[in-house]
């Protein structure tokens, strides 16, 4: 156990071997093995590929530290010598390149490093730390899967749930927001039912491709015309599928719509307006079958507990100085870490840890080229700089955990 652990080596290995949601077998196996090496009680296969490891160290509070494990169906273009060349089979059954384009490999490495540091210093604190390695964050299903598979009955309940995400601002900086920190997300599947036929005889058909195109444009009026300016709201049509040949008018068209909002009122407005506009477009096209509109997945907004967030902020500022702790404010990204905290009725603190080369970031900011020059999460070029990202993330988990432990 006292043999040294090369975190950079561990990170590069995880990065080169990403796995899609609920397929994180190798990653989960590595996490479990490292936890066993530390002498911890390890439970595997929670909610599919989830892993929990318990470090019981006497009386005191229980802290959960959470890391997500899944990669994304993205072809890596970073050119790194540890870049992924892996493929996986997606939910639709097709083979796809896979990449750790959201940095969950960094999260797993941080948590392994933090658990090791906490175990090695266990003489100096007391309480219980539970490492939660969660599957399938990207599909917003992994936290729920672990809860439904009795996570709460299998490990000590938390007094606080802590987690962090690597983000494209300078390494060495952490961003912590009290209250609503990340948006809620809804995935909505739309099917428009037309009437198929020959491409040369549109008069004999009801064209779902035209209706889908009109719907995509119409949906973009919701945020611009119905939401109060300044309120965070996003409607994205991320997929559109119809047809098989240019001379065939297909019978149906499918849209994948994603919605982001910070509060229930805005969320209900967005979802309600999507329903209204889709039905109106179908009617305008003369469709005789009602469209299908189904909310497939919903993630609640990520809400940080004000008191617990202040505890973490003070601990970070004491450790690294005020300048290293920023408050970026609520972001339009979404997370399911809040599901773990809500299920356990525990306060949540979830923060962002910078992963960009500070020099490159500074140059890009000075040139007004952050969007162009600094790859963000989900980009095929996303490549956190190893240091100080690794050290700062490990330290952040340890410092935050110790702020709650005795
Ligand atoms: Zn992501
Ligand atoms: Zn992520």
């Amino acid at each position: 156990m006292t043999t040294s652990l090369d975190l950079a080596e561990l990170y590069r290995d995880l990065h080169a071997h990403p796995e899609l949601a609920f397929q994180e077998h190798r990653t989960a196996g590595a996490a479990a093995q490292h936890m066993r090496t530390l002498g911890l009680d390890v439970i595997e296969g929670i909610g599919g590929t989830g892993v929990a490891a318990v470090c019981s160290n006497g009386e005191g509070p229980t802290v959960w530290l959470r890391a997500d494990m899944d990669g994304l169906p993205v072809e890596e273009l970073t050119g790194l010598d540890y870049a992924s060349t892996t493929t996986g089979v997606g939910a639709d059954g097709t083979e796809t390149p896979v990449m750790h384009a959201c940095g969950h490999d960094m999260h797993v490495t941080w948590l392994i490093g933090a658990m090791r540091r906490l175990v090695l210093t266990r003489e100096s604190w007391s309480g219980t730390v539970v490492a939660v390695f969660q599957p399938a964050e990207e599909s917003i299903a992994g936290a729920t899967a672990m809860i439904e598979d009795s996570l709460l009955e299998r490990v000590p309940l938390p007094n606080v749930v802590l987690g962090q995400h690597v983000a494209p601002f300078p390494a060495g900086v952490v961003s912590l927001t009290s209250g609503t920190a990340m948006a809620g997300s809804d995935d909505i599947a739309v099917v428009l039912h037309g009437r198929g036929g020959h491409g040369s005889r549109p008069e004999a058909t009801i064209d779902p491709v035209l209706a889908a195109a009109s719907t995509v444009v119409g949906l973009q009026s919701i945020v611009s015309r119905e939401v109060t300016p300044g309120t965070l709201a996003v409607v994205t049509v991320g997929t559109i599928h119809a047809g098989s040949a240019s001379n065939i008018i297909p019978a149906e068209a499918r849209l994948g719509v994603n919605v982001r909002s910070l509060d229930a009122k805005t969320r209900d407005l967005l979802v309600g307006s999507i329903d209204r506009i889709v039905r109106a477009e179908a009617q305008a096209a003369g469709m005789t079958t009602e469209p299908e509109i189904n909310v497939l997945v919903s993630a609640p907004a990520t809400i940080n507990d004000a008191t617990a967030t202040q505890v973490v902020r003070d601990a970070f500022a004491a450790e690294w100085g005020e300048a290293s702790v920023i408050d970026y404010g609520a972001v339009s990204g979404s997370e399911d870490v809040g599901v773990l905290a809500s299920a356990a009725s525990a306060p949540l603190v979830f923060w962002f840890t910078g992963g960009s080369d500070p020099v490159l970031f500074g140059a890009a900011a000075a040139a007004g080229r952050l969007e162009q020059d600094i790859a963000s999460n989900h980009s095929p070029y996303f490549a956190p700089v190893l240091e100080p990202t690794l050290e700062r993330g490990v330290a952040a988990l340890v410092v935050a955990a110790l702020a709650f432990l005795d």
Side-chain angles (χ1 to χ4, degrees), residues 39-405:
L40 306 183
D41 295 326
V42 179
I43 309 169
E44 294 180 78
I46 309 174
T49 48
V51 175
V54 181
C55 177
S56 303
N57 192 32
E59 293 292 307
T62 296
V63 175
W64 282 14
L65 302 178
R66 177 270 206 175
D68 43 11
M69 300 188 289
D70 49 327
L72 282 163
V74 171
E75 183 172 7
E76 179 158 358
L77 299 175
T78 60
L80 295 166
D81 58 7
Y82 51 91
S84 164
T85 55
T86 305
T87 61
V89 177
D92 62 357
T94 57
E95 189 166 1
T96 171
V98 185
M99 174 189 176
H100 266 301
C102 202
H104 299 185
D105 45 354
M106 186 65 75
H107 306 171
V108 172
T109 309
W110 281 338
L111 183 50
I112 292 171
M115 291 304 289
R116 181 180 165 78
R117 203 165 292 180
L118 286 165
V119 168
L120 290 173
T121 60
R122 64 195 304 164
E123 305 301 321
S124 67
W125 59 272
S126 75
T128 300
V129 179
V130 180
V132 178
F133 295 93
Q134 184 208 296
E137 184 279 329
E138 293 293 352
S139 57
I140 305 285
T144 299
M146 289 189 83
I147 293 298
E148 288 180 349
D149 200 12
S150 307
L151 176 65
L152 299 179
E153 288 81 55
R154 295 161 84 167
V155 299
L157 290 174
N159 295 98
V160 67
V161 175
L162 306 174
Q164 61 181 341
H165 205 299
V166 64
F169 54 77
V173 174
V174 294
S175 175
L176 197 53
T177 298
S178 190
T180 304
M182 299 183 75
S185 169
D186 294 272
D187 245 337
I188 302 173
V190 172
V191 186
L192 292 164
H193 295 286
R195 184 165 66 238
H198 202 288
S200 69
R201 295 193 63 233
E203 76 280 11
T205 72
I206 299 171
D207 184 357
V209 174
L210 180 60
S214 182
T215 301
V216 171
V217 175
L219 292 179
Q220 292 310 322
S221 71
I222 300 172
V223 173
S224 70
R225 300 292 86 184
E226 298 185 44
V227 176
T228 306
T231 302
L232 190 149
V234 180
V235 175
T236 290
V237 181
T239 65
I240 176 165
H241 294 293
S244 56
S246 60
N247 65 347
I248 302 169
I249 292 171
E252 64 176 39
R254 293 172 177 269
L255 305 177
V257 187
N258 187 263
V259 171
R260 305 290 169 120
S261 56
L262 295 183
D263 58 84
K265 183 169 164 245
T266 307
R267 185 262 179 196
D268 291 347
L269 184 149
L270 297 175
V271 174
S273 296
I274 288 168
D275 187 89
R276 187 191 76 240
I277 289 170
V278 169
R279 289 185 196 287
E281 291 289 353
Q283 193 178 26
M287 291 176 170
T288 52
T289 304
E290 279 289 302
E292 295 169 52
I293 306 164
N294 291 307
V295 179
L296 299 180
V297 189
S298 295
T302 301
I303 300 172
N304 280 336
D305 179 81
T307 307
T309 299
Q310 191 61 46
V311 170
V312 174
R313 174 182 304 287
D314 291 346
F316 285 170
E319 187 77 12
W320 307 306
E322 295 282 349
S324 294
V325 189
I326 63 171
D327 181 351
Y328 190 80
V331 299
S332 56
S334 301
E335 254 291 340
D336 64 356
V337 65
V339 171
L340 299 175
S342 300
S345 301
L348 171 72
V349 187
F350 191 78
W351 63 89
F352 294 96
T353 302
S356 293
D357 184 318
V359 174
L360 295 181
F361 187 94
R369 289 184 53 85
L370 282 176
E371 266 73 27
Q372 297 92 330
D373 294 350
I374 301 297
S376 61
N377 305 59
H378 291 207
S379 158
Y381 298 98
F382 185 65
V385 64
L386 291 193
E387 293 296 355
T389 310
L390 278 167
E391 170 53 31
R392 186 51 52 98
V394 170
L397 286 175
V398 171
V399 167
L402 290 176
F404 294 98
L405 295 163

